[in-house]
Amino acid sequence: LLFRCMMISGVCRVLVSLVLVVSSVTAFGVHRQIPSSNAATRALIESDSKFSTRLYAGMVGPIARAKKAMDPKEYNRVVEERMKRDKLSRAEAEADYNSFLENPPFYYALEKKEEYYRKLGYKDIFEGMIGEADKEGKGEEMRERISSFKRKSKIKAAAVLVVAIGGLFYLQSLYAENPLLFKGGLPDYSL
């Protein structure tokens, strides 16, 4: 029984890890919902990052909201510093800082790189990295690195899915053997 409980605990950890991996993978992509149905307005919003930043500046997550509430002087200092350094409006600087607070720095950096390459006219970050490497004569090397990265990512994702599905089958076999093992609630110590 103890062994089974330990296995269930391990499976739960794997499932939580799976959720974290899936949420991390979705963080790599830019998935904005453009509120306009007009194609011309949609194209303008997608092409002009400052316009779209202003459009989404009202969305503030819990971390940014907590930072602003707990330490407003520091929050305002950083926002004003970004306004001066990057010549942004207050709304744009706040949106940028909130994005930094809400996303781990790694994802924030990826988002900024994606933005940089789009401004240069590339479709996405991978195309931008290849295009810039081509200018330096290292395009083939960059293509190989990107294809290797994509291949390794697919293998890792498949491995996580296999472990998660295997864990679910294991839990199902435990349940089939003894359904009371999954009975919820507090133990009954009454006599």
Side-chain angles (χ1 to χ4, degrees), residues 86-131:
D86 299 334
K87 296 182 178 30
L88 301 171
S89 69
R90 176 141 188 109
E92 290 170 337
E94 278 191 21
D96 191 47
Y97 187 48
N98 292 342
S99 176
F100 173 76
L101 290 173
E102 292 299 324
N103 296 320
F106 178 73
Y107 298 125
Y108 179 78
L110 281 176
E111 189 176 295
K112 288 298 176 185
K113 267 191 170 180
E114 178 91 22
E115 214 173 274
Y116 169 75
Y117 286 126
R118 283 184 189 264
K119 284 181 183 177
L120 292 177
Y122 296 107
K123 182 179 77 173
D124 61 12
I125 190 170
F126 294 125
E127 186 181 295
M129 291 169 70
I130 291 170

Side-chain angles (χ1 to χ4, degrees), residues 53-188:
T53 301
R54 264 187 253 123
L55 194 74
Y56 296 100
M59 291 194 260
V60 179
I63 297 171
R65 196 175 302 125
K67 174 79 172 173
K68 191 173 186 177
M70 291 189 323
D71 195 1
K73 288 182 183 178
E74 176 66 14
Y75 181 87
N76 286 327
R77 184 191 66 77
V78 172
V79 168
E80 288 168 7
E81 199 173 278
R82 284 178 186 253
M83 288 170 59
K84 289 177 190 171
R85 183 186 68 219
D86 299 334
K87 296 182 178 30
L88 301 171
S89 69
R90 176 141 188 109
E92 290 170 337
E94 278 191 21
D96 191 47
Y97 187 48
N98 292 342
S99 176
F100 173 76
L101 290 173
E102 292 299 324
N103 296 320
F106 178 73
Y107 298 125
Y108 179 78
L110 281 176
E111 189 176 295
K112 288 298 176 185
K113 267 191 170 180
E114 178 91 22
E115 214 173 274
Y116 169 75
Y117 286 126
R118 283 184 189 264
K119 284 181 183 177
L120 292 177
Y122 296 107
K123 182 179 77 173
D124 61 12
I125 190 170
F126 294 125
E127 186 181 295
M129 291 169 70
I130 291 170
E132 293 300 307
D134 275 339
K135 290 178 183 176
E136 297 173 8
K138 300 178 183 178
E140 267 318 301
E141 179 185 335
M142 184 58 70
R143 281 183 187 84
E144 181 55 37
R145 286 178 60 194
I146 289 173
S147 76
S148 173
F149 169 76
K150 287 181 177 181
R151 188 173 40 256
K152 287 178 184 176
S153 296
K154 287 179 182 179
I155 291 169
K156 288 177 186 177
V160 167
L161 288 174
V162 166
V163 168
I165 291 170
L168 290 173
F169 278 122
Y170 177 74
L171 283 174
Q172 191 273 336
S173 70
L174 287 177
Y175 181 78
E177 187 179 313
N178 183 5
L180 296 176
L181 188 63
F182 293 91
K183 182 181 174 192
L186 297 173
D188 186 15

Side-chain angles (χ1 to χ4, degrees), residues 3 66 99 189:
F3 176 72
S99 176
Y189 293 114

